[in-house]
Amino acid sequence: MSLKLVWRFLLSHPVRSILTCGSIVVAVFLLCVLRTTVVALGSSIEAAAANRLVVQSSVSLFVPLPLSYQPKIEQVDGIEHVIKWTWFGGYYKDPQNFFAQFAVDAAATMEVYPEMEITEGSYDAFLASRQGALIGRDLAEKYEWSVGDRVPIIGTIYPRADGGAWEFDVEAIYDSRNPAFGEQTLLFHHTYFEEVLKAEQGPEALAAGVYIMRIEPGTEPTTVMAAVDALFESGPQRVQTTTEAEFNRQFVTMFGGIPTFLSWIGGSVLFAILLAAINTMLMAGRERTRILGVMKAMGFGSGSVFALFVVEAVVLCGAGGLIGVAFAKLVETPIAVALSTMMPGFVLTTETILAGLAVAVGVGLVAALVPAIAASRLRPVEALRAEV
Amino acid sequence: MALVPFKYTLRSLFVRRSATLLTVFGTGATVAVLAGVLSLNKGFEALFEAHGREDLVVFLRPGAQSEGESAFSDDRADILLKSLAEVATNASGAPLASAESFLAVRLRKTDGGETNVPIRGVQPATFAIRAGEIRIVEGRNFQPGSDEVIVGRPVSERIRDASVGDVLTLNTTPFRVVGIFEHDGPLDSEVWGDVERMRVALKRPVYNRVLAQLRPDAEVAALAARLEDDRQVPAKVQTEREYLRNQTGMLSGALQFLGFFLAVIMGTAAVFTGTNTMLSALASRVHEIGILLSTGFRPMAISLAFLLESLLLGLLGGVVGCLLALPLNGVETGTTNWQTFTEVAFAFRVTPDVLVRAVGFALILGLLGGTWPAVRAARLDPTDALRRR
């Protein structure tokens, strides 16, 4: 009975209901997208593997480490694998087509990064191929590369002597089970990288960007970190060994004030939308003074009149929230693909969905309060006399 | 055609105080967000683009996107430094050109954590080229050939061991901080020292870029074209302004996209709210409109009055939005220059241009929000309207 009344009230001003619902849709959509962005910015820390450690130069992100460090690191107790991992920094045809490429020790890479799952081609073919490359699914789709293709990459940090491109043969494509380890990465052999550099620039050009280690189960990471750091305390390049989470954190903190700024925007959206909802409910309340008077005269109690407003607002805003979340879900994949080179991990979490819905319902409750209280206090005689 | 008096419009807004206030503040929040993003972008542009000089050229290795990626061996740098006719000379005939090294070095912040600070090694000619741009505000400049550095003012505040008299250790070499400098542009975020000492301490076998001041009559485009495929020293030549613009293109583009995205989405919500308010105004004024129509006002005039009212709502929202955004002016924030992975600090700049654009945006919101109600108002039938209470 009263639900039917709510429905009637909502339909009494269809345009207004639709517009109000529409602004809630927009707001919830925006809040979900902003929150997902903020979460994604930090996701590489959350999703980091606890058993991976990174050895980097303590001087600078841009200073590579000597190749001679690898056998020394391997001597440290508790380490399963040590692989070279060198940022290549190239692009495909145009600097706009930028994505991550790393030269790696291919043999142990799958052990260190078990979240990779080869879905096309084979890992063995990649291992066997001198110029072979292992690429992520998104990358393959974006540039329509498939197994067997030869891919030219222009090196900005490591240009070829003839000014041309490095060429890699796609041998395998991986899917990632870890949202923070994106599918827009190209991995190729460190041996091939060294081979070319040695021939074109001489042996002194050889180095590794960082070393990534997988530690044995049950090993205390801090012990390993201290032991590795101690190896190179007196140079030639001092190192700093950290967990993968710490390593990623240095990139995340680079976003600086951006997460705070996005949160502020979210706050403003919330504020604007709350005002809009209050506005609508006040209008509804004002217009209905006379009808409410009639209802009360017919015997509707204060409580049910109060509830009527609250339910109406919650239904209206809740519907807006649902549609808003649905829109956010709809754009999730396109945004994730567009951002994946800069910022992997754009995933609409359950938490964000619930937060979006909670905000919508909350806004409805608050907005209903003033007119609902006014309506419950309304004296039928005055209401019937009122001119609106 | 007789227009509905302006006073009527004003009073209508005043009579419906709560609806007016709620709409104005809702629009205001939307406008404030747009103004915030715009002023962030302004602050960013002011730091980078406004301080790039047209008479300076930056030489990079072909293909390099930033100086961190660029490299010149000693002999190649030497050719660029000494043999280019386009480069201006000082009073004694020496070219105003300087080879520089550049590395983003990991340093500890005063409030904990680490950040990447650009360390630039320069030759004495740099100070001749940048005469007047670089101001030593504390201590003195470093001695060429010595293990001394000078530090940009914001860096000295943010980074540990970066005040005058402190010792800053780079890899294993201690450098003494002897001065603090200021620069209105991005150089403010750097640490400077002698280029040869830097190369030794940081084990850098190469120079990263060459900076030169051009003669007033020199043609940058011709120089760039000539050096692009030069046999001896192939180089990418850009004016400093071009170089800095390329450095910030990505972030600037991201901010502009963010501003556009938010303006469209939040603007939609604001238009919905505005339409709601005006429709409700219309509904409660049907009787009045009937009177206006029957006293001879044309439907067009009524329609315009509604549109005007909505525009006024928008204008008020714009003003409120600007007032909300004004305190942002000068607030310092920081992010990273993704081309070099170094931290840049910059401030929101709420310029008149930002305010004008924000108010313009608010007026558009008002216009869009008022259109449909205005059309509805014009369509009312006078007798029918008069009958409604």
Side-chain angles (χ1 to χ4, degrees):
Chain A
M1 156 70 190
S2 73
L3 269 185
K4 201 167 167 188
L5 257 177
V6 168
W7 191 240
R8 276 293 160 88
F9 273 173
L10 283 172
L11 288 188
S12 67
H13 277 86
V15 176
R16 185 170 70 208
S17 294
I18 289 172
L19 289 177
T20 307
C21 186
S23 28
I24 304 276
V25 167
V26 168
V28 168
F29 167 77
L30 203 52
L31 285 175
C32 286
V33 170
L34 289 175
R35 186 167 192 279
T36 305
T37 309
V38 173
V39 170
L41 289 177
S43 69
S44 63
I45 299 177
E46 300 291 324
N51 61 353
R52 278 198 292 257
L53 303 181
V54 183
V55 186
Q56 57 178 332
S57 157
S58 70
V59 177
S60 164
L61 197 57
F62 303 93
V63 170
L65 299 173
L67 294 182
S68 61
Y69 280 21
Q70 191 168 17
K72 290 179 190 154
I73 297 171
E74 277 164 354
Q75 300 302 313
V76 174
D77 282 343
I79 298 177
E80 271 182 6
H81 298 284
V82 180
I83 57 173
K84 303 186 203 78
W85 195 267
T86 303
W87 172 256
F88 183 71
Y91 58 84
Y92 172 60
K93 286 185 178 166
D94 185 285
Q96 297 290 318
N97 297 328
F98 169 85
F99 54 90
Q101 308 103 25
F102 294 97
V104 303
D105 282 337
T109 292
M110 277 302 269
E111 315 279 342
V112 179
Y113 285 92
E115 54 260 67
M116 279 195 290
E117 188 182 0
I118 306 295
T119 49
E120 246 177 86
S122 84
Y123 200 71
D124 289 337
F126 167 53
L127 288 185
S129 159
R130 174 170 156 263
Q131 285 170 251
L134 168 61
I135 66 174
R137 166 70 48 197
D138 286 348
L139 199 59
E141 279 169 11
K142 185 167 179 186
Y143 297 113
E144 295 176 353
W145 293 337
S146 45
V147 172
D149 285 357
R150 173 156 283 203
V151 175
I153 303 290
I154 314 268
T156 56
I157 307 175
Y158 305 100
R160 294 298 295 259
D162 61 2
W166 291 67
E167 294 192 328
F168 304 111
D169 298 321
V170 177
E171 298 288 355
I173 295 173
Y174 71 84
D175 284 7
S176 172
R177 281 184 290 256
N178 175 352
F181 184 80
E183 294 179 354
Q184 284 229 357
T185 302
L186 181 150
L187 303 178
F188 65 99
H189 294 281
H190 214 280
T191 45
Y192 176 61
F193 175 66
E194 289 170 34
E195 187 187 309
V196 172
L197 281 190
K198 196 170 174 182
E200 295 185 355
Q201 299 183 21
E204 62 278 8
L206 301 184
V210 298
Y211 291 101
I212 298 184
M213 321 185 272
R214 180 188 162 100
I215 53 174
E216 283 165 7
T219 309
E220 182 55 46
T222 46
T223 322
V224 176
M225 285 168 3
V228 174
D229 286 353
L231 283 177
F232 312 107
E233 195 52 51
S234 50
Q237 277 294 335
R238 292 165 71 175
V239 301
Q240 159 173 335
T241 309
T242 58
T243 58
E244 186 179 50
E246 268 317 302
F247 182 74
N248 291 344
R249 191 187 302 279
Q250 66 182 339
F251 299 100
V252 173
T253 53
M254 283 184 194
F255 286 105
I258 290 177
T260 320
F261 186 60
L262 291 181
S263 306
W264 268 97
I265 294 177
S268 312
V269 174
L270 201 58
F271 176 70
I273 224 57
L274 186 63
L275 295 188
I278 292 177
N279 198 5
T280 301
M281 290 317 290
L282 280 181
M283 284 188 248
R286 213 170 18 236
E287 280 163 18
R288 277 179 214 153
T289 313
R290 201 192 278 264
I291 296 179
L292 289 171
V294 173
M295 284 171 63
K296 282 206 156 177
M298 281 163 60
F300 276 85
S302 295
S304 48
V305 171
F306 184 92
L308 210 55
F309 268 95
V310 172
V311 173
E312 179 185 354
V314 169
V315 166
L316 187 64
C317 296
L322 278 176
I323 303 175
V325 167
F327 271 121
K329 189 76 197 162
L330 216 60
V331 301
E332 180 191 13
T333 314
I335 294 185
V337 169
L339 289 182
S340 58
T341 45
M342 269 299 285
M343 191 185 80
F346 189 90
V347 180
L348 192 66
T349 58
T350 318
E351 241 177 88
T352 303
I353 291 176
L354 291 180
L357 292 177
V359 161
V361 171
V363 163
L365 284 176
V366 174
L369 227 51
V370 179
I373 291 174
S376 65
R377 286 198 189 145
L378 201 64
R379 302 230 320 258
V381 192
E382 284 168 19
L384 285 170
R385 210 185 290 139
E387 272 188 42
V388 182
Chain B
M1 184 177 76
L3 291 175
V4 178
F6 185 61
K7 216 163 103 186
Y8 171 80
T9 306
L10 271 185
R11 294 193 60 153
S12 306
L13 284 176
F14 190 70
V15 165
R16 303 160 40 77
R17 264 177 303 250
S18 61
T20 302
L21 277 179
L22 288 167
T23 313
V24 163
F25 274 90
T27 313
T30 304
V31 172
V33 166
L34 181 77
V37 177
L38 288 178
S39 54
L40 193 63
N41 198 26
K42 270 278 180 268
F44 199 65
E45 281 177 3
L47 183 64
F48 278 86
E49 289 176 25
H51 294 280
R53 279 165 57 181
E54 293 281 11
D55 64 329
L56 296 190
V57 285
V58 173
F59 299 89
L60 299 179
R61 185 187 63 192
Q65 306 288 319
S66 72
E67 52 189 317
E69 292 170 357
S70 163
F72 288 110
S73 60
D74 288 18
D75 45 333
R76 288 188 168 181
D78 223 42
I79 296 171
L80 290 176
L81 287 171
K82 293 180 183 149
S83 69
L84 295 176
E86 285 88 347
V87 172
T89 51
N90 67 9
S92 53
L96 285 171
S98 168
E100 301 183 339
S101 70
F102 178 92
L103 182 68
V105 166
R106 205 188 294 283
L107 292 177
R108 282 192 297 168
K109 293 199 276 193
T110 42
D111 58 357
E114 289 180 332
T115 185
N116 294 310
V117 179
I119 306 276
R120 187 181 296 282
V122 300
Q123 295 181 329
T126 292
F127 292 98
I129 294 169
R130 299 213 183 265
E133 262 190 275
I134 297 285
R135 305 178 296 275
I136 305 275
V137 292
E138 199 188 322
R140 58 174 173 84
N141 202 348
F142 66 85
Q143 290 287 333
S146 70
D147 286 354
E148 295 177 341
V149 290
I150 56 173
V151 175
R153 190 190 46 78
V155 180
S156 72
E157 287 161 8
R158 278 204 321 276
I159 301 298
R160 273 211 228 171
D161 303 327
S163 302
V164 171
D166 286 348
V167 170
L168 203 58
T169 303
L170 303 177
N171 196 15
T172 49
T173 314
F175 282 82
R176 182 164 295 278
V177 178
V178 295
I180 305 292
F181 70 92
E182 280 183 353
H183 179 256
D184 295 327
L187 299 179
D188 219 328
S189 318
E190 302 183 348
V191 173
W192 284 20
D194 181 273
V195 65
E196 302 308 328
R197 295 301 307 145
M198 287 296 164
R199 284 174 63 194
V200 172
L202 299 169
K203 305 199 162 39
R204 309 287 281 174
V206 293
Y207 293 106
N208 291 99
R209 75 170 188 185
V210 172
L211 179 75
Q213 185 169 347
L214 291 185
R215 293 181 188 280
D217 56 346
E219 296 262 348
V220 181
L223 177 66
R226 195 178 84 228
L227 285 183
E228 195 182 346
D229 320 295
D230 190 79
R231 279 276 203 64
Q232 265 184 315
V233 193
K236 174 163 152 187
V237 184
Q238 293 166 298
T239 63
E240 191 191 23
R241 178 165 301 178
E242 271 177 282
Y243 175 75
L244 290 178
R245 192 178 302 139
N246 290 340
Q247 291 296 289
T248 58
M250 187 152 69
L251 201 48
S252 199
L255 283 177
Q256 271 164 16
F257 172 77
L258 183 69
F260 177 76
F261 177 76
L262 290 171
V264 169
I265 299 215
M266 290 187 70
T268 310
V271 167
F272 286 175
T273 313
T275 306
N276 256 347
T277 306
M278 292 310 296
L279 279 180
S280 153
L282 174 65
S284 64
R285 242 184 273 159
V286 173
H287 185 70
E288 270 171 52
I289 292 170
I291 296 174
L292 287 173
L293 285 171
S294 59
T295 50
F297 284 101
R298 305 286 301 273
M300 192 60 172
I302 311 267
S303 191
L304 278 178
F306 265 82
L307 211 52
L308 187 64
E309 190 173 330
S310 180
L311 276 173
L312 266 179
L313 272 178
L315 181 66
L316 287 174
V319 170
V320 167
C322 288
L323 289 178
L324 289 174
L326 270 181
L328 277 178
N329 194 26
V331 171
E332 291 255 344
T333 182
T335 186
T336 292
N337 172 1
W338 293 100
Q339 302 279 2
T340 54
F341 281 87
T342 52
E343 193 173 300
V344 278
F346 56 99
F348 285 86
R349 284 169 62 102
V350 187
T351 59
D353 176 48
V354 167
L355 296 181
V356 168
R357 279 206 262 173
V359 171
F361 174 66
L363 286 175
I364 293 175
L365 294 183
L367 186 67
L368 290 177
T371 306
W372 170 239
V375 169
R376 288 267 298 258
R379 282 197 199 144
L380 283 178
D381 175 59
T383 38
D384 196 34
L386 267 178
R387 213 178 291 136
R388 295 255 296 274
R389 298 275 328 234

